[in-house]
Amino acid sequence: MRSGTIRGHHVGGEIDLGKTLESGQTFLWQRESDQGYGTSEYSGWYWSAVSSDAAEPTVIRVRQTGSDIEWRSNNGTETDVRRRLGLDVEMNRVRDELVDSAPNDSLLREALDACTGLRLVSEPCFPTLISFICSPQMRVERIHRMQGELSSRFGGTVSFSGREYDVYPTPERLASASEDELKQAGLGYRASYVSRTAEMVDEDIDSLRSTADVPYSEARTRLKRYVGVGDKVADCVLLYGLNHRVAVPIDTWVKTAVEEYYPELMGQSYSKTSQNLRDHWGEYAGYAQLYVFHHLRSGDN
DNA sequence: GACCAGGTAGCAA
DNA sequence: TTGCTACATGGT
């Protein structure tokens, strides 16, 4: 058992745990007494996530008190918590770089001001891959619920701090589930995508993990080999699960924003438009996408 | 009972 | 490459 408190003045700027964990960049955290995902006040709530990357599942439990983050884990460290929540990043520097790259971008400035405390997460790659394969034509709340179903049906449980936690299933466990079982978990036509991709990852997990270490364009090509992974899902997995901060997922929200605010950046294809956005926003384009997405979706504009 | 939701696979031109 | 369409499911 490890635990600790990460002080607010040691995290490179503001942190808003609720925004960060329920903004649709990750679907892997469960709020205790989970009611109204993505809608309620966040202060004082506990969130937990259980990954099974290591031999023994890792439970991480966090909550925010004021500007501090309290954490507790069975075998995770503060370093793990900081990485997953994006706390090692100097947010003021990211802002400066973004504004410097796109000085006349009023939507981006608006979003940066409106979403203070929003951090870009760095989640385990396999759960991120599966959860975004579940995402097409689905609402954020429901994608989140589907991951809960996958965990409770296939992942088993782990005991931690006097409570049982559902574990996110390993590639092997998901690969061994039948398509019918996956459909019963509410995956719909994505069941076969998840099944086939889980088999591919089970065959060669390193091929997925090492995608974090190759250049962006090659990484995207590699990810798109997985079934159910097109341009947009690939960019999400690269951004939120494989540390490619230049990736810009273009979903319906971002596409609408581009048409309205940056019509000159609209290309003839996804890859052209995303290239234009990467050029426009620069090295931290992924942060810009996250902020704009959250800003538009949360309706605070 | 339509219509919609962080799109993609499979196929044709 | 580009341009269709079918697609499971649950909520409004």
Side-chain angles (χ1 to χ4, degrees):
Chain A
M1 163 77 78
R2 308 159 192 261
S3 64
T5 300
I6 304 170
R7 298 293 174 189
H9 53 277
H10 289 153
V11 297
E14 292 189 55
I15 168 70
D16 184 321
L17 202 51
K19 275 183 197 167
T20 300
L21 297 182
E22 299 195 5
S23 59
Q25 54 177 326
T26 172
F27 308 101
L28 306 176
W29 294 81
Q30 294 293 138
R31 196 177 351 155
E32 239 170 60
S33 308
D34 195 12
Q35 291 168 346
Y37 182 86
T39 59
S40 307
E41 287 302 313
Y42 303 118
S43 183
W45 285 103
Y46 286 97
W47 282 268
S48 60
V50 187
S51 62
S52 47
D53 263 8
E56 183 192 357
T58 297
V59 185
I60 296 178
R61 188 167 180 262
V62 292
R63 78 162 171 173
Q64 177 158 16
T65 52
S67 60
D68 298 339
I69 300 296
E70 297 174 15
W71 65 274
R72 178 173 289 199
S73 178
N74 53 348
N75 52 31
T77 64
E78 177 173 321
T79 303
D80 298 326
V81 177
R82 296 183 72 100
R83 187 183 61 249
R84 287 192 65 155
L85 301 180
L87 298 180
D88 288 324
V89 175
E90 274 296 336
M91 285 309 297
N92 284 333
R93 202 169 76 76
V94 172
R95 276 163 209 275
D96 291 347
E97 295 280 344
L98 285 172
V99 171
D100 194 44
S101 180
N104 300 317
D105 192 329
S106 59
L107 175 64
L108 175 60
R109 279 179 190 251
E110 222 176 83
L112 288 171
D113 288 340
C115 307
T116 51
L118 177 61
R119 297 297 183 108
L120 183 55
V121 299
S122 183
E123 295 283 66
C125 56
F126 178 67
T128 303
L129 174 61
I130 296 300
S131 58
F132 276 99
I133 286 175
C134 292
S135 71
Q137 304 296 99
M138 281 288 169
R139 295 171 200 277
V140 166
E141 293 73 18
R142 192 143 167 248
I143 303 165
H144 178 255
R145 199 192 324 151
M146 290 158 76
Q147 307 319 304
E149 287 294 324
L150 289 179
S151 297
S152 65
R153 286 165 184 262
F154 306 109
T157 62
V158 58
S159 183
F160 171 69
S161 196
R163 213 189 117 183
E164 295 294 310
Y165 290 84
D166 292 330
V167 181
Y168 199 92
T170 61
E172 188 179 6
R173 297 289 290 271
L174 273 189
S176 66
S178 71
E179 267 186 49
D180 207 48
E181 288 176 309
L182 291 172
K183 279 200 174 182
Q184 285 170 29
L187 298 201
Y189 65 83
R190 301 153 200 81
S192 71
Y193 302 166
V194 167
S195 176
R196 291 156 72 187
T197 290
E199 286 173 17
M200 293 170 74
V201 177
D202 185 36
E203 291 282 317
D204 185 2
I205 180 73
D206 290 331
S207 176
L208 175 61
R209 291 202 178 119
S210 65
T211 306
D213 304 318
V214 304
Y216 167 74
S217 65
E218 186 190 337
R220 192 175 57 173
T221 303
R222 274 217 228 168
L223 267 186
K224 285 169 68 176
R225 293 181 317 193
Y226 296 109
V227 185
V229 179
D231 287 316
K232 187 268 176 185
V233 168
D235 274 331
C236 286
V237 179
L238 290 173
L239 182 57
Y240 305 126
L242 289 164
N243 295 305
H244 283 273
R245 299 320 198 196
V246 76
V248 180
I250 303 176
D251 64 2
T252 51
W253 291 92
V254 175
K255 183 162 183 278
T256 303
V258 174
E259 288 167 344
E260 187 171 341
Y261 292 87
Y262 327 106
E264 72 280 8
L265 298 182
M266 273 299 287
Q268 286 303 308
S269 64
Y270 181 102
S271 62
K272 292 288 283 180
T273 304
S274 70
Q275 179 65 62
N276 292 342
L277 286 171
R278 290 195 295 279
D279 292 342
H280 175 65
W281 281 327
E283 185 183 356
Y284 296 105
Y287 276 88
Q289 186 275 354
L290 174 67
Y291 271 76
V292 166
F293 171 76
H294 185 267
H295 180 49
L296 296 175
R297 206 177 77 84
S298 60
D300 55 8
N301 50 322

